[in-house]
Amino acid sequence: MFINKSMTRNVITIRGEAGLFEAKEKMELHNIRHLPVVTADHVLAGVITDRDIRSALPSAFTLHMHDPQEVEGIANLKVKDVMSKNPITISPMNTLGDALLLMNRARKGALPVVDKQGNLTGIISTSDVIRSFINVLGIEQPGTLLCILAEEKVGEMKKIVDAITEEGISFGSILVAKYGDEGKRAVYPYLLTNNVAGVKKKLESMGFTLLDPSEWSLDKFTER
Amino acid sequence: MKKTGFLYDERFLLHRTGPEHPESPARLLAIYRGIEEAGLLPRLTLMKAERARQEWIEAVHSVKLITRFEEACRLGLDILDNPDNKISSESFETALLAAGGVIGAVERVMKGELDNAFCAVRPPGHHAEVNKAMGFCFFNNVAIAARYLQNKWGVKRIGIVDFDVHHGNGTQAIFDDDPSVFYYSIHEHPSFAYPGTGREFEKGSGPGLGSTLNSPVLPGQGDLEYKESFENGLLPAFETFKPEVILVSAGFDAHVDDDMSDIHLSTDCFSWMMKQLVGMADQYSNGRVISVLEGGYSINRLPELTKNHIEILLGGKT
C-alpha cells in the first residue's frame, strides 16, 4: 500500500540549467509528461511538465508575430524559468490512498516522491496507480464479475461470500460501492470461474437482487 | 447438396464433470438427438474419432500440461488447474479423441472427401492455453487443427471464427503473433463475462498485429450488434485476408435462452451467421469449413441450433 511499492524508481530527471528544448526532447524520448528538476546532489528543485513547455513556447502559428529579439529570448529559456518551483510532493511512506486523493484534489498527473532529506527517490504517476488498480481488481486473471444489490447492514456481505465459497469458487477481488441513496450497496465479486449460472440462481433464491449490467457503476454520481 | 461430415463419438460422453456442471455429456446427447430426429443422419458422412498423436497436441500445448493432465486422470483427481475444469479418469483420453476427431475431419476435407464438417466434440477447447486448462477446456481443438493445417498441409492463411459467447483467450494467445492465422471473435464484453479478455484493442502483436479482430458485445444486446459486426468487421477482414480454410469455434451459448450469458441472440441469427460463414468459405476457401463445438449449455436449444447449423453446412436450408 505504500508509495515506495508502486512508484517508478528510475526517475528521468533534468537540471534547472537545461534548455526547454532539451526538456521537450527528453519527454518525447521517454514518452512521459513530467520531469522532476533536481540539483547536482539530487535534491528536488521543481517539476516541469509538457504543458509548462507548451505554454512557454510560441506556437508555430504565431511565431511570425513575435519580433526576433523576443524569439531569441524564448530560445534561451531554461527549465528553471518555467518549472513549478514548489511542486506538490509525496513521501515514500505515504500510501496509495494518499496519492489517489492528493492527485485527484490537486489535479496532478504525477507527484515526485521525496524523502525526509528532500532527496528525490521516485515518482508516482497515473500509470503507476492504474497498474496497481488493475492488480487489485484482479481483471488480468480469467473470471466473471457479478453485481449484487445488498442492504447496508451487518452480515449481508458474509452471506454473499459464504454462498459463493460454498460453490467452491475463488475470488479475484470484491468491491463494494454505494448504490443510490436508499441504504443499499452494490457488491461486485470478481469470481475466478466461467461457471456462474448456478451461483447466480442461488443468490437470487436467497433474496438478493442481481443488478442488470446497465445499472452497474463504480462511480459516485457527482456533478462534473 | 454438399458433402458434410458429422463427427460424433459416444466416447466423448466419457469425460464426466459431475452432476452440477454445465459442460455435461447431456449436451452431446441433445445435439445428436436433434440431428437424428430431423432426419439428417442419412445425408451426412458420419465420422468416429481417432486419438490425436501427441505430436499434434504438442504443436500447441506444452508437454507439462499434457503430462499434468494425464497424471491427474491416472491419479483419479477431479479437477485440473482450476475448479472449473472438472475431470474424470477418462477425461485425458476423451480430450485426445476430441482433438484427434477434429484432425480427422480436417484431413478428409483437405483430401476432398468432404466439403465441410461439424465436429460435436467434448471437452471444448478455445479457452485452453499453451500451458493451462481453463474454462472447461483442456486441449485447444481448433488451435490444434490450425497447426495441423499449417504443418501437414502447408496452408498459408487460416481464418478462425469464434462465436462462442466467451472470448477464446487460448486461441487468441496461441496465434497472437502469427499473421497466417486470422482470429475473429464475437463475444459478451469482457467486463461482464468470462474470461475477461477480447477487448477491441487486442489486435495481435508483432508480425500478427492486425490479424486478431475482437468484437465485444454488451449484455442485453443481440442480433443487431452481431449482424453489424459480421457485416462491418468480419466480412471485410476476410475479403482482404482470403482464408484458404475456415475453422469455426461454434459455441451456442449466446442464445437468449442460454443462462451462461446475457447476450440475447435468436435462433435465426445463429443460422444467419452460419450462412455468412459458408458463403465466405464458398468465395475464398473452396467451401472448406470445419466447425467445432465449443460451449452452448441450453439442453432445450442445442438440438435446433445444431440441426440448423448442419443444414446450412449441407447447403440444404435457405
Side-chain angles (χ1 to χ4, degrees), chain A:
Chain A
M1 260 324 225
F2 292 100
I3 296 294
N4 62 1
K5 303 279 187 201
S6 294
M7 68 187 188
T8 300
R9 284 166 192 279
N10 297 318
V11 195
I12 315 291
T13 59
I14 197 156
R15 300 287 298 277
E17 292 304 313
L20 282 197
F21 290 101
E22 189 187 331
K24 190 165 178 275
E25 277 172 11
K26 224 169 188 175
M27 287 183 195
E28 283 166 5
L29 178 68
H30 297 282
N31 192 22
I32 52 178
R33 295 193 303 258
H34 302 80
L35 285 176
V37 184
V38 289
T39 62
D41 41 5
H42 220 65
V43 171
L44 184 73
V47 167
I48 186 165
T49 68
D50 62 342
R51 199 167 166 179
D52 296 331
I53 297 174
R54 264 185 283 131
S55 313
L57 297 180
S59 97
F61 297 106
T62 58
L63 197 56
H64 64 278
M65 293 190 275
H66 300 266
D67 66 56
Q69 254 182 333
E70 202 183 339
V71 172
E72 205 189 310
I74 291 164
N76 289 332
L77 277 176
K78 293 192 168 25
V79 164
K80 65 178 183 187
D81 301 324
V82 302
M83 70 182 188
S84 309
K85 290 195 179 64
N86 291 305
I88 298 171
T89 63
I90 196 160
S91 132
M93 294 316 284
N94 275 119
T95 61
L96 209 49
D98 297 333
L100 277 171
L101 294 168
L102 188 54
M103 287 163 84
N104 188 46
R105 176 180 301 187
R107 301 241 165 250
K108 294 289 176 199
L111 303 172
V113 184
V114 175
D115 65 14
K116 278 182 189 150
Q117 290 73 40
N119 296 316
L120 182 73
T121 58
I123 188 164
I124 184 130
S125 70
T126 43
S127 357
D128 298 316
V129 174
I130 287 169
R131 194 189 54 244
S132 303
F133 271 80
I134 289 173
N135 186 40
V136 164
L137 292 169
I139 54 177
E140 281 185 326
Q141 298 165 273
T144 313
L145 189 68
L146 300 184
C147 178
I148 305 153
L149 203 55
E151 299 289 332
E152 200 171 344
K153 63 179 187 198
V154 175
E156 292 296 280
M157 199 69 158
K158 180 179 184 325
K159 282 193 223 159
I160 293 172
V161 172
D162 284 350
I164 294 168
T165 309
E166 280 161 16
E167 299 291 305
I169 298 171
S170 330
F171 289 84
S173 66
I174 186 159
L175 300 175
V176 183
K178 279 195 172 147
Y179 183 80
D181 45 14
E182 320 147 41
K184 292 211 193 282
R185 296 250 160 161
V187 181
Y188 296 87
Y190 186 67
L191 305 179
L192 303 183
T193 178
N194 185 5
N195 192 1
V196 291
V199 76
K200 278 162 98 174
K201 283 198 193 98
K202 181 174 175 182
L203 288 162
E204 278 173 336
S205 75
M206 290 166 68
F208 289 107
T209 305
L210 287 164
L211 267 193
D212 186 274
S214 65
E215 306 287 323
W216 297 8
S217 173
L218 294 176
D219 209 348
K220 286 194 289 188
F221 297 98
T222 51
E223 302 276 329
R224 267 177 295 200

Side-chain angles (χ1 to χ4, degrees), chain B residues 159-217:
Chain B
I160 300 179
V161 176
D162 185 337
F163 61 73
D164 187 281
V165 82
H166 305 102
H167 177 243
N169 58 290
T171 314
Q172 173 172 303
I174 289 158
F175 300 109
D176 199 52
D177 60 357
D178 186 342
S180 70
V181 176
F182 194 104
Y183 178 69
Y184 167 86
S185 178
I186 185 161
H187 45 263
E188 185 171 359
H189 191 288
S191 285
F192 306 95
Y194 189 85
T197 51
R199 293 171 202 269
E200 277 156 322
F201 56 76
E202 296 167 23
K203 295 177 173 179
S205 65
L209 184 65
S211 60
T212 294
L213 180 60
N214 281 304
S215 196
V217 179

